[in-house]
């Protein structure tokens, strides 16, 4: 059982990063707990056909740990922003590595969100990207049952299977089944999965 000093709950993320850099493992553990939902939210839009979503959540967690250990308050950036960038970069790196055929489950990851455009993207590119993302979500929602749509909404917000189960008052197994059906529908629509 964790024995994290409860007074550290009052510390800002930036203060906890400083403590972590000083060797305080409790501060690091507290930051990881604070950002678990963000980790899940960043990993969730990537469905793994034939793989486990836990693979990407693990990669996202490695990105969070990198952010915690490399955060520099002198750069005048919020830790939350830096953490999200590190998490998303780690996920993209894992997907890129997987495309080299080393990790078959990650090869079939399917992003539901549009690719992140760089800061130099024009307003037109940003608008088109947002429109394409909205169209993908509309097409996806049309293929899903009402229960699948509700569960997907909670899932993409980073809720765990247990939290979704509690919100909807249904068994965890029903949540898992709905998410698996949704994955197959998304992947099948994109021609990624050949089996049902």
């Amino acid at each position: 059982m964790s024995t994290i000093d409860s007074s550290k709950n009052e510390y800002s993320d930036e203060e906890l990063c400083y403590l972590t850099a000083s060797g305080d493992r409790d501060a690091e553990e507290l930051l990881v707990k604070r950002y678990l939902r963000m980790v899940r939210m960043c990993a969730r839009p990537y469905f793994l056909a034939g793989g486990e979503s836990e693979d990407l959540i693990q990669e996202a967690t490695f990105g969070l740990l990198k952010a915690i250990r490399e955060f520099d308050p002198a750069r005048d950036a919020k830790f939350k922003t830096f953490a999200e960038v590190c998490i998303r970069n780690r996920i993209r790196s894992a997907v890129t590595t997987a495309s080299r055929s080393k990790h078959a489950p990650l090869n079939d990851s399917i992003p539901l969100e549009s690719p992140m455009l760089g800061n130099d993207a024009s307003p037109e590119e940003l608008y088109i990207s947002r429109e394409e993302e909205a169209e993908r979500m509309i097409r996806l929602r049309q293929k899903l049952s009402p229960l699948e749509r509700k569960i997907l909404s909670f899932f993409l917000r980073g809720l765990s299977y247990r939290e979704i189960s509690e919100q909807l008052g249904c068994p965890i197994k029903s949540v898992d089944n709905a998410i698996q059906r949704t994955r197959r529908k998304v992947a099948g629509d994109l021609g990624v999965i050949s089996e049902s």
Side-chain angles (χ1 to χ4, degrees):
M1 181 166 218
S2 177
T3 58
I4 296 176
D5 180 359
S6 62
S7 67
K8 289 183 181 165
N9 285 327
E10 303 299 319
Y11 288 14
S12 72
D13 296 342
E14 292 75 14
E15 290 169 327
L16 289 172
C17 284
Y18 176 79
L19 290 173
T20 298
S22 302
D24 187 334
R25 294 300 118 206
D26 286 347
E28 182 179 62
E29 186 179 336
L30 182 57
L31 267 173
V32 169
K33 285 182 178 180
R34 279 187 188 176
Y35 281 87
L36 277 178
R37 181 159 284 176
M38 177 187 282
V39 162
R40 289 195 308 257
M41 286 177 64
C42 291
R44 291 278 166 92
Y46 293 88
F47 286 159
L48 298 176
E52 296 291 324
S53 60
E54 290 302 315
D55 295 336
L56 282 177
I57 291 173
Q58 182 179 5
E59 291 296 330
T61 303
F62 290 144
L64 173 60
L65 289 171
K66 174 182 167 130
I68 292 169
R69 293 172 184 163
E70 295 182 6
F71 178 72
D72 180 6
R75 290 187 147 187
D76 199 30
K78 290 281 187 194
F79 173 75
K80 182 177 182 178
T81 304
F82 182 66
E84 185 171 359
V85 169
C86 289
I87 291 167
R88 291 186 184 279
N89 285 345
R90 181 66 186 232
I91 292 169
R92 286 189 194 97
S93 176
V95 171
T96 300
T97 300
S99 68
R100 295 183 189 132
S101 303
K102 290 184 180 178
H103 309 290
L106 289 178
N107 282 343
D108 297 324
S109 66
I110 303 166
L112 289 177
E113 61 184 22
S114 58
M116 209 169 187
L117 298 172
N119 292 335
D120 59 345
S122 70
E124 293 85 11
E125 290 172 321
L126 290 171
Y127 178 79
I128 291 169
S129 174
R130 287 188 191 119
E131 287 292 310
E132 288 172 348
E133 182 179 340
E135 287 175 21
R136 274 194 303 276
M137 291 308 290
I138 288 168
R139 283 194 312 270
L140 174 60
R141 285 190 174 100
Q142 290 171 344
K143 293 179 181 214
L144 302 178
S145 71
L147 177 64
E148 290 167 344
R149 284 194 297 270
K150 285 180 191 173
I151 289 174
L152 178 63
S153 173
F154 286 127
F155 185 78
L156 291 176
R157 282 190 259 158
L159 272 68
S160 68
Y161 283 22
R162 181 175 309 285
E163 291 168 325
I164 296 170
S165 168
E166 291 168 1
Q167 288 283 326
L168 298 178
C170 64
I172 293 174
K173 185 63 178 165
S174 296
V175 172
D176 180 52
N177 289 340
I179 290 172
Q180 297 307 320
R181 285 192 308 272
T182 301
R183 287 179 174 161
R184 286 192 298 271
K185 288 176 183 181
V186 170
D189 185 48
L190 297 176
V192 175
I193 294 178
S194 58
E195 59 200 45
S196 58

